[in-house]
């Protein structure tokens, strides 16, 4: 029975692995377990327990004498709050070097990040890779974890995934640190930062906001004729290739419709259409759907799905596949059992179902299959967990239902004796199919002319007109980005990766480049000025950044060799970094001046007062950043003033008011009720309240009063 050292990504996973093995016992800094053919010590990290030292990494690469600087490897040091975990794992690995264990098992989360964070520790203590195996799992059930442990593969088989992860990390460091230093040198503002992905994402948001704000609505007209046959009424709409913007022409056309008593059927087209159910979900599908339906942020959706995964009711969430592998067939039956729909099990073997659900090649590409339910939702689940679980459950069950089918009828009509064409559309449901699962859900209402079933009509047949309508409408700007729509556009452009796309929104908020208002992501003045300053830099290009992410994905999915991919990526990133630093150094313009300006002490003090009064966080690390301090004050000043308006005067203010009244000064009644009013009255009557003293011999700054000892 082999004795193994297992390193899991977190405490909860370590505990589950130990329980799966059997006879689990909690020790001081790990779990010990024996059973199912293993004796194991299961240690755990807490995410990344090592962090890059920016200063030391750059110094080793020759900075500041050499700039830009490109460290080949990053200098990693244990995080202060995780040093205990690091030392415990290090001691265990030292024992493993001496032969105490037969081999070591990496049990990081089964993704690129999980691969890297365990390898970081192994490489830090120089543990030989040849003695390490990797367990890869799709859920955290005891059955799946035990299978993954028994089938653990040599760590080297996952080198392409690790290479892609390391390149992304080093590439982000090279570009982000050097570009940020270049911008900080140019502006003198150390609170500014740029990044390989965050900057193009910021540009997308800024450009959308400017497009909305510069949008000029254009008026146009829609002309409709209401028709009737056999007592059934329906609407037809005037068709034109371009919007009808000429009001004179629109009014004339409306008059023609008004005067026409009969329309004639010119053409009829009928088409039967089928809509297949949405695929099994990958992470971004849930982020987009929950964003639309419930207004959840991408970060929140990931957190909820992760909690359901750790509760062992859903499979692994950070996946980029919408299919299952054929060897996952047993999980399909588990899902049906979890949802109480074992009556559908017979369809699993049918050809149409297998084509719809199973795709070995896609699962192999992504590393994980789609998210599916594998156990019932616990009774103590939160409302948010219930909503997300139901999204997954409905997508899963919809695979067993037939396509939604309907017949669409398009009828072209003209006013009798005229050539102007009007179109009426009708839709008749033939089979509800998978949409039966979604009955009762609120969906976007379609236009009345698209959702009405038409009466039977024949070509050349006259139809009675019973009404008409002219509608004045205005073109609309594109919507502002939400967390869900930003994820969608990043996915479409190929920016970032499935498991980390949500983090860029958080980074931009933290930097003060964007903020969220009523679920909308809006660029701040600071963010806009930054993009205005650097908009000509290649670094801001979403398309270029997407090309780099596409290359990293190709390396991870073995479409290109790690060595060749590494060479291509590093050469390209270095070229981009050199060009970016050079462009930053040659920049000139008024827009940069805003970043050089420093806030006054009075501004900082006022911001702190606002923070204390309203309970909103003021980031002290950015107190020297004029843009941040100004936006903080602008955002909260009105609320602060409103609060102060209702706050009663202090005892000191009341005493001063009483003294002034005794001196014959006129004090308004409001001054005794409002701190703000009291302050205004006191300031008006006695100034700032400070008396100036002129000490003996004080002729200038630094003079001192001298005392003689008796």
């Amino acid at each position: 029975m082999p004795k193994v050292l297992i390193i899991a990504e977190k405490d909860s996973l370590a505990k589950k692995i130990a329980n799966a093995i059997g006879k689990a016992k909690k020790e001081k800094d790990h779990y010990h377990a024996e059973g199912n053919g293993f004796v194991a010590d299961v240690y755990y990290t807490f995410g990344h327990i090592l962090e890059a030292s920016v200063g030391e990494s750059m110094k080793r690469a020759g900075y500041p004498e050499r700039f830009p600087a490109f460290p080949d490897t990053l200098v990693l040091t244990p995080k202060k709050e995780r040093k205990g975990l690091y030392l415990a794992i290090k001691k265990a690995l030292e024992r493993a070097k001496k032969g105490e264990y037969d081999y070591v098992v990496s049990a990081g989360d089964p993704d690129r990040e999980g691969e890297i964070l365990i390898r970081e520790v192994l490489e830090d203590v120089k543990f030989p890779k040849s003695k390490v195996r990797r367990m890869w799992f799709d859920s955290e059930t005891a059955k799946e974890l035990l299978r993954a442990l028994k089938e653990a593969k040599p760590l080297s088989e996952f080198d392409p995934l690790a290479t892609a992860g390391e390149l992304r990390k080093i590439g982000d460091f090279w570009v982000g640190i050097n570009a940020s230093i270049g911008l900080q040198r140019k502006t003198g503002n150390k609170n500014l930062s740029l990044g390989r992905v965050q900057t193009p994402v910021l540009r997308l948001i800024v450009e959308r906001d400017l497009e909305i704000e510069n949008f000029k609505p254009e008026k146009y007209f829609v002309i409709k004729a209401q028709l009737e046959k056999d007592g059934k009424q329906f609407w037809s709409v005037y068709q034109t290739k371009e919007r009808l913007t000429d009001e004179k022409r629109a009014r004339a056309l409306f008059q023609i419709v008004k005067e026409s008593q009969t329309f004639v059927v010119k053409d009829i087209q009928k088409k039967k259409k089928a809509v297949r159910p949405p695929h099994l979900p990958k992470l971004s599908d849930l982020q987009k759907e929950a964003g639309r339906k419930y207004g959840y942020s991408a970060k929140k959706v990931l957190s909820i799905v992760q909690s359901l995964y750790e509760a062992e009711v859903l499979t692994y969430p950070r996946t980029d596949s919408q299919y299952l592998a054929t060897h996952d067939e047993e999980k399909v039956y588990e899902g049906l059992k979890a949802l109480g729909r074992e009556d559908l099990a017979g369809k699993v073997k049918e050809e149409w179902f297998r084509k719809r659900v199973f795709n070995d090649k896609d699962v192999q590409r992504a590393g994980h299959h789609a998210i599916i339910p594998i156990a019932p939702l616990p009774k103590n689940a939160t409302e948010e967990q219930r909503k997300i679980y139901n999204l997954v459950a409905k997508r899963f069950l919809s695979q067993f239902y037939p396509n939604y089918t309907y017949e669409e009828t398009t009828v072209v009509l003209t006013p009798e004796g005229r050539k102007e064409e009007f179109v009426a559309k009708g839709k008749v449901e033939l089979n509800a199919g998978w949409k039966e699962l979604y009955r009762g859900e609120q969906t976007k209402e379609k236009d009345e002319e698209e959702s009405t079933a038409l009466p039977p009509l024949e070509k050349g047949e006259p139809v009675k007109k019973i009404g008409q309508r002219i509608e004045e409408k205005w073109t609309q700007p594109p919507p502002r980005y939400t967390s869900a729509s930003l994820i969608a556009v990043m996915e479409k452009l190929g920016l970032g990766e499935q498991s980390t796309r949500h983090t860029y929104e958080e980074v931009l908020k933290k930097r003060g480049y964007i903020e969220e208002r009523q679920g909308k992501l809006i660029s701040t003045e600071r963010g806009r000025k930054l993009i205005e300053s650097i908009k000509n830099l290649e670094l801001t290009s979403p398309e270029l950044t997407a090309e780099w992410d596409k290359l990293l994905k190709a390396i991870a999915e073995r479409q290109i060799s790690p060595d060749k991919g590494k060479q291509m990526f590093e050469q390209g990133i270095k070229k981009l970094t050199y060009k970016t630093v050079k462009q930053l150094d040659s920049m000139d313009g008024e827009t940069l001046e805003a970043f050089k300006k420093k806030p006054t002490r009075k501004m900082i003090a006022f911001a702190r007062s606002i923070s204390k009064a309203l309970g909103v966080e003021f980031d002290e690390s950015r107190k020297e950043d004029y843009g941040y301090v100004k936006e903080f004050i602008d955002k909260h000043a009105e609320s602060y003033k409103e609060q102060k308006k209702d706050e009663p005067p202090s005892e000191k203010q009341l005493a001063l008011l009483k003294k002034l009244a005794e001196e014959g000064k006129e004090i308004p009644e409001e001054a005794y009720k409002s701190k703000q009013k009291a302050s205004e009255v006191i300031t008006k009557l006695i100034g700032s309240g400070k008396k100036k003293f002129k000490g003996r011999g004080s002729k200038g700054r630094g003079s001192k009063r001298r005392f003689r000892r008796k």
Side-chain angles (χ1 to χ4, degrees):
M1 192 157 59
K3 184 177 181 181
V4 296
L5 168 62
I6 303 172
I7 306 174
E9 184 169 328
K10 47 188 175 287
D11 185 5
S12 61
L13 177 58
K15 185 178 180 180
K16 288 177 182 178
I17 293 172
N19 286 332
I21 293 169
K23 296 181 183 178
K25 182 182 178 183
K26 180 74 169 81
E27 303 288 352
K28 181 182 176 182
D29 45 26
H30 69 284
Y31 294 88
H32 181 77
E34 295 182 25
N36 284 294
F38 293 95
V39 175
D41 287 326
V42 191
Y43 285 76
Y44 50 89
T45 67
F46 195 89
H48 287 275
I49 58 175
L50 297 173
E51 61 185 350
S53 171
V54 175
E56 195 60 33
S57 298
M58 291 292 282
K59 186 179 178 181
R60 289 193 186 182
Y63 180 82
E65 290 78 14
R66 181 182 296 165
F67 180 72
F70 302 97
D72 293 327
T73 56
L74 303 182
V75 178
L76 301 177
T77 56
K79 291 181 178 178
K80 189 176 180 181
E81 67 275 19
R82 307 293 177 216
K83 196 166 185 179
L85 290 176
Y86 168 77
L87 291 174
I89 296 170
K90 184 178 181 181
K91 288 177 182 177
L93 287 170
E94 293 296 344
R95 296 196 304 272
K97 283 182 183 179
K98 295 175 182 178
E100 185 174 323
Y101 300 97
D102 292 292
Y103 55 89
V104 173
V105 178
S106 169
D109 273 358
D111 58 20
R112 192 188 295 179
E113 208 64 26
E115 187 67 27
I116 292 173
L117 65 88
I118 302 296
R119 286 192 184 222
E120 286 175 346
V121 180
L122 294 170
E123 291 168 6
D124 189 68
V125 300
K126 296 179 173 58
F127 192 84
K129 190 166 67 174
S130 60
K131 293 184 179 181
V132 184
R133 300 182 188 182
R134 176 68 152 109
M135 57 185 287
W136 195 264
F137 42 93
D138 288 311
S139 71
E140 292 188 358
T141 62
K143 180 181 176 182
E144 174 67 3
L145 292 174
L146 196 58
R147 178 206 62 77
L149 179 58
K150 289 178 178 179
E151 298 175 8
K153 298 176 181 179
L155 189 67
S156 58
E157 289 195 21
F158 298 87
D159 284 351
L161 183 68
T163 300
E166 288 293 340
L167 285 174
R168 184 183 70 81
K169 185 170 69 174
I170 200 79
D172 287 351
F173 186 95
W174 286 356
V175 175
I177 297 300
N178 285 300
S180 296
I181 290 173
L183 184 61
Q184 290 166 10
R185 283 180 171 184
K186 188 70 178 177
T187 62
N189 189 332
K190 292 184 178 180
N191 291 293
L192 295 175
S193 76
L194 300 173
R196 187 181 66 87
V197 179
Q198 76 170 55
T199 303
V201 172
L202 174 60
R203 179 176 174 175
L204 287 173
I205 297 171
V206 169
E207 288 182 345
R208 173 60 61 87
D209 289 345
L210 293 176
E211 184 182 358
I212 292 168
E213 288 160 25
N214 294 326
F215 182 81
K216 293 180 180 179
E218 183 180 355
K219 186 165 66 173
Y220 68 98
F221 300 87
V222 176
I223 299 170
K224 298 179 179 180
Q226 189 177 27
L227 309 172
E228 181 185 52
K229 186 197 173 184
D230 298 335
K232 187 167 182 63
Q233 300 174 1
F234 60 98
W235 286 92
S236 62
V237 183
Y238 173 66
Q239 292 299 293
T240 177
K241 290 181 180 179
E242 297 178 353
R243 287 192 181 97
L244 186 56
T245 57
D246 186 333
E247 185 169 359
K248 187 176 180 181
R249 183 180 166 216
R251 298 289 175 190
L253 186 57
F254 179 67
Q255 189 61 34
I256 291 171
V257 175
K258 196 173 182 180
E259 293 172 358
S260 299
Q261 300 302 312
T262 305
F263 276 56
V264 178
V265 177
K266 182 179 178 181
D267 187 42
I268 300 176
Q269 295 287 335
K270 291 187 177 184
K271 291 182 181 179
K272 289 183 179 180
K273 295 187 176 182
V275 181
R276 61 151 291 159
H279 286 289
L280 291 170
K282 55 185 177 181
L283 175 60
S284 60
D285 292 333
L286 295 180
Q287 288 172 323
K288 289 182 284 187
E289 190 173 0
R292 288 194 305 269
K293 289 184 175 180
Y294 312 124
Y296 292 171
S297 69
K299 180 183 178 182
K300 183 172 185 175
V301 174
L302 175 57
S303 175
I304 297 168
V305 183
Q306 182 72 23
S307 71
L308 292 168
Y309 165 66
E310 291 175 3
E312 301 175 24
V313 298
L314 293 183
T315 55
Y316 186 69
R318 292 176 173 84
T319 178
D320 194 26
S321 178
Q322 296 175 311
Y323 297 94
L324 301 177
T326 49
H327 63 71
D328 295 317
E329 186 175 315
E330 188 61 35
K331 294 177 184 176
V332 178
Y333 297 114
E334 289 177 9
L336 290 174
K337 184 179 179 181
L339 301 174
R341 291 301 310 270
E342 291 161 291
D343 57 300
L344 299 172
K347 298 185 179 182
V348 176
K349 297 293 184 183
E350 294 184 22
E351 187 63 25
W352 64 269
F353 178 85
R354 302 191 76 78
K355 284 184 177 180
R356 180 184 281 181
V357 171
F358 296 109
N359 187 326
D360 290 348
K361 190 175 180 180
D362 189 73
V363 175
Q364 185 179 13
R365 170 198 64 77
H368 290 282
H369 60 65
I371 305 167
I372 63 170
I374 50 174
L377 187 67
K379 290 181 180 179
N380 62 348
T382 65
E383 179 66 13
E384 291 173 344
Q385 288 176 322
R386 184 188 64 77
K387 286 178 177 178
I388 297 299
Y389 183 87
N390 285 342
L391 291 182
V392 178
K394 284 187 177 182
R395 285 240 191 171
F396 177 73
L397 290 176
S398 69
Q399 308 307 311
F400 295 87
Y401 281 67
N403 291 338
Y404 166 68
T405 57
Y406 63 94
E407 183 178 74
E408 184 180 76
T409 303
T410 303
V411 180
V412 180
L413 307 102
T414 59
E416 191 172 28
R418 304 285 305 185
K419 293 183 179 180
E420 292 83 1
E421 294 184 350
F422 286 69
V423 172
K425 288 187 177 182
K427 183 175 172 182
V428 178
E429 184 180 284
L430 301 177
N431 188 339
W434 61 271
K435 283 202 172 187
E436 190 66 42
L437 294 167
Y438 294 85
R439 293 290 193 207
E441 284 194 11
Q442 286 188 344
T443 56
K444 188 177 179 181
E445 291 297 323
K446 294 187 175 183
D447 292 340
E448 56 191 347
E449 63 267 23
E450 293 181 342
S451 59
T452 304
L454 298 176
L457 295 168
E458 293 182 9
K459 190 174 180 179
E461 180 181 6
V463 183
K464 182 181 178 183
K465 187 213 74 178
I466 59 172
Q468 58 278 323
R469 190 159 72 198
I470 182 168
E471 296 176 355
E472 185 179 295
K473 296 189 175 185
W474 293 86
T475 54
Q476 298 296 314
R480 292 194 189 274
Y481 282 119
T482 62
S483 185
S485 63
L486 184 63
I487 287 286
V489 76
M490 287 179 69
E491 186 175 40
K492 182 180 178 182
L493 294 173
L495 284 173
E497 56 182 357
Q498 190 79 206
S499 60
T500 59
R501 286 191 180 113
H502 69 282
T503 62
Y504 297 105
E505 175 190 330
E506 303 305 317
V507 168
L508 293 173
K509 286 178 182 176
K510 186 178 179 181
R511 298 290 183 193
Y513 294 150
I514 67 170
E515 60 185 17
E516 187 173 353
R517 298 183 206 158
Q518 297 179 330
K520 310 293 184 185
L521 301 178
I522 301 171
S523 55
T524 62
E525 182 183 359
R526 169 189 175 86
R528 294 184 186 197
K529 283 181 177 176
L530 178 62
I531 292 300
E532 174 62 29
S533 302
I534 63 171
K535 63 184 177 184
N536 294 323
L537 269 63
E538 281 189 13
L539 178 62
T540 66
S541 167
E543 293 77 18
L544 181 64
T545 300
E547 284 300 312
W548 298 126
D549 283 321
K550 187 177 179 181
L551 177 57
L552 292 175
K553 191 174 182 181
I555 296 169
E557 295 174 2
R558 302 170 189 266
Q559 296 170 14
I560 186 172
S561 73
D563 289 341
K564 185 179 179 181
K566 181 179 181 182
Q567 184 182 18
M568 291 170 62
F569 185 82
E570 289 184 346
Q571 285 179 351
I573 288 293
K574 282 184 177 180
K575 185 179 178 181
L576 172 65
T577 304
Y578 274 116
K579 191 171 183 179
T580 299
V581 168
K582 187 177 180 180
Q583 287 175 314
L584 286 167
D585 189 54
S586 62
M587 280 173 59
D588 191 19
E590 295 180 7
T591 50
L592 284 173
E593 293 302 316
F595 297 118
K596 296 180 180 180
K597 199 172 181 180
K598 300 288 183 183
T600 63
R601 274 190 251 176
K602 190 174 180 181
M603 286 175 69
I604 296 171
F606 185 38
R608 285 170 174 162
S609 297
I610 290 173
S611 175
K612 186 177 179 181
L614 300 181
V616 292
E617 184 183 1
F618 175 70
D619 190 347
E620 287 288 339
S621 67
R622 294 166 63 189
K623 66 182 180 182
E624 296 300 318
D625 184 339
Y626 178 84
Y628 170 73
V629 177
K630 184 177 183 298
E631 286 202 15
F632 182 88
I633 292 172
D634 290 346
K635 185 177 180 179
H636 301 293
E638 285 302 316
S639 299
Y640 176 76
K641 287 177 182 177
E642 281 298 314
Q643 188 183 88
K644 288 294 179 184
K645 185 178 177 182
D646 299 328
E647 192 176 340
S650 65
E651 291 182 12
K652 187 176 179 181
Q653 285 178 316
L654 290 171
L656 273 170
L657 290 172
K658 184 178 179 183
K659 187 176 180 182
L660 289 169
E662 288 172 353
E663 291 175 0
K665 306 289 186 182
E666 187 177 342
I667 310 296
E669 188 64 31
E670 308 93 84
Y672 294 104
K673 300 176 182 177
S674 166
K675 186 172 187 176
Q676 184 181 340
K677 190 66 178 177
S679 180
E680 290 173 3
V681 171
I682 292 167
T683 301
K684 182 179 179 182
L685 295 176
I686 62 174
S688 64
K690 295 180 181 178
K691 295 181 180 179
K692 295 180 181 179
F693 294 94
K694 191 174 182 180
R696 184 177 63 181
S698 59
K699 296 181 180 179
R701 210 169 68 183
S703 62
K704 298 178 181 178
R705 186 183 295 273
R706 299 177 185 272
F707 295 90
R708 184 178 295 171
R709 184 179 293 172
K710 292 183 180 179

